[in-house]
Amino acid sequence: MKVIVDMDVCKDHGQCVFAAPEVFQINDSGRLVYESEVDEALRDAVEEAADVCPLQAITVEG
């Protein structure tokens, strides 16, 4: 499964980090970083992260 975050839209609110910490993290500079290729076993958590994103910046493909 592929995860895409539109970094032009993302404002680093971090709600995705709470929903799927295995995929999304806030780095030392306060910016969101994430895994773009994710195991199918994490689908529910990633879809929850996409749902809770206040700016709807996360897309899940595959």
Side-chain angles (χ1 to χ4, degrees):
M1 162 179 59
K2 185 169 183 153
V3 177
I4 302 165
V5 177
D6 185 338
M7 296 307 287
D8 291 329
V9 174
C10 177
K11 299 298 181 207
D12 306 307
H13 290 272
Q15 295 304 305
C16 56
V17 177
F18 296 111
E22 308 89 347
V23 179
F24 303 95
Q25 299 88 36
I26 300 293
N27 69 15
D28 291 340
S29 299
R31 297 289 305 177
L32 179 74
V33 293
Y34 67 99
E35 300 294 325
S36 60
E37 295 292 330
V38 180
D39 189 274
E40 185 67 28
L42 295 172
R43 178 173 291 278
D44 287 345
V46 171
E47 288 180 349
E48 175 68 17
D51 287 344
V52 300
C53 177
L55 299 173
Q56 298 298 288
I58 302 170
T59 304
V60 181
E61 295 181 350

